[in-house]
Amino acid sequence: MMKGPETELRGPGAGGQTETSSVRIALLGMIRLYQRYVSPIGGVDRCGFRPSCSHYGYEAISTQGPVIGLMMIGDRQTRCTIFKEPGPDYMLLPGGKLFDPVSKNLLFGK
Amino acid sequence: MSLLARRILLPSALLLLLSLPPVFSALHAEGNAILLTGDVQLRMADAFMEEGEYFRAITEYKKYLILFPDSGKADYASFGIGMAYYKGEEYRDAARTFSSMREKYPESAHALPARYHEGFSRWKLKDYEAARVTLETLAEDHPESVYAPRALAASSLVALDEDKPGVSRAGLERFVDRYPGHPGADSVKTALALLERYPDRPRKSPVLAGFLSAVLPGSGYMYAEHYGDGVTAFLINGLFIAGAATGFHQENYAVGTIVAGVGLPFYLGNIYGSANAAKKWNEGVRNEFIEKIHLTLSPLFEH
């Protein structure tokens, strides 16, 4: 029996936490706007990773704060190319997407 | 119509009913009557276990415990439940079942294998310290048992997963001292030799990777052998830097600032990602090393 990854693949990352930083709120709002109005224009589900880049960014900013979160988004955007293949760094999920959660890219511990 | 039904269908039904008892009695006479004994119930559970139907096996073992609570094989059934959970990869339930089985039947012949598998279940759950302690104490309390050398080797592997190579080495050395004639002693010696090289395994510095990418975007990824990411980072950051520089050079400060602002997360992300790539590279080497030691010791755990 195959068991799925423990981390939530999609959905809001903060787990219902109340945001207090205005920069964080602004960045999260921008990501939500992108998800609602910009992303659907080119067709849904184009990102090769899971969670998708926007969900990854949302979770990164929610959990790591705006500074580290932005760095993680920059890193993910650099890595998100069509040349990525499954391997030790990226587990292949049943839907053909590569598993790359925030928790696997934390430089400073968990 | 109803008259017809009464005259034809009713007698037919009566005839059919009259003919049934001999049929049933013949079946009863020819077939084997089933008398559900404890042994039959256990055989049924064991059969499911052998077929790999672990969760049905659990049901049958539990039925045995309910139907025959005072039998002499309740310890065996409890152990069977634990093993079915273990083989069904439900390690939390397996550990809980083995633990309660050991507590309930401390004198049982299955208490020792239950302890051994409890250690393995905790290991699978990544509860490393509890797993190591369970396996180590088994090896210390019952050094003459068949499970002791295996538990000692397993506890060394758990220590390695905990990133405690010293504890792991001590466990393997104890194995060699205590069981020099064991068939797995040569594997343990090979693992010890591998473990000697563990501190000298190759490493990449995350600090150096970050520094390199700060100086020349993408070079840190290259250093960490993530060549594709290195090229992408170089191109993206190169374009942003060129765009911002052109904007400022043409005294178009607004455009220069916007381009630099958008490019800044990519530049910082390139530093962060390079350091992280080096960290992942180190983890990959470490995991490969541990995998080698696991493979070397794996013949010890084959039944």
Side-chain angles (χ1 to χ4, degrees), chain A residues 1 3 68 70-72 74-75 77-79 81 84 89-90 100 104-108, chain B residues 88-90 206 221 226 229 232-233 236 265-266 268-270 272-273 275-276 279-280:
Chain A
M1 184 173 68
K3 293 180 180 178
I68 300 288
L70 274 175
M71 285 190 198
M72 292 183 82
D75 168 49
Q77 290 292 292
T78 304
R79 291 185 290 112
T81 64
K84 277 280 171 288
D89 290 338
Y90 307 109
D100 182 49
K104 283 207 170 181
N105 292 292
L106 297 178
L107 188 55
F108 310 105
Chain B
E89 298 181 12
E90 295 289 340
Y221 282 112
H226 285 62
D229 296 335
T232 316
I236 291 175
F266 284 93
L268 295 175
N270 135 76
Y272 181 95
N276 205 27
K279 185 187 162 200
K280 282 184 183 174

Side-chain angles (χ1 to χ4, degrees), chain A residues 40-104:
Chain A
I41 295 171
V44 290
D45 210 16
R46 283 161 295 133
C47 183
F49 283 120
R50 274 291 174 275
S52 68
C53 286
S54 63
H55 284 93
Y56 179 93
Y58 194 99
E59 193 185 332
I61 289 170
S62 298
T63 59
Q64 306 300 312
V67 177
I68 300 288
L70 274 175
M71 285 190 198
M72 292 183 82
I73 291 173
D75 168 49
R76 169 59 104 81
Q77 290 292 292
T78 304
R79 291 185 290 112
C80 186
T81 64
I82 56 167
F83 304 110
K84 277 280 171 288
E85 285 184 353
D89 290 338
Y90 307 109
M91 183 180 80
L92 183 66
L93 292 171
K97 305 285 185 184
L98 300 176
F99 187 50
D100 182 49
V102 169
S103 58
K104 283 207 170 181

Side-chain angles (χ1 to χ4, degrees), chain B residues 176-199:
Chain B
V176 174
D177 289 345
R178 209 177 276 177
Y179 311 104
H182 192 277
D186 286 340
S187 302
V188 174
K189 281 176 192 163
T190 312
L192 260 172
L194 273 171
L195 207 52
E196 287 296 319
R197 300 211 309 266
Y198 183 74

Side-chain angles (χ1 to χ4, degrees), chain B residues 231-276:
Chain B
V231 172
T232 316
F234 179 77
L235 290 174
I236 291 175
N237 284 287
L239 285 171
F240 274 116
I241 290 165
T246 308
F248 287 121
H249 188 253
Q250 291 178 350
E251 296 183 0
N252 206 339
Y253 297 112
V255 170
T257 307
I258 290 168
V259 174
V262 175
L264 187 65
F266 284 93
Y267 176 73
L268 295 175
N270 135 76
I271 296 169
Y272 181 95
S274 299
N276 205 27

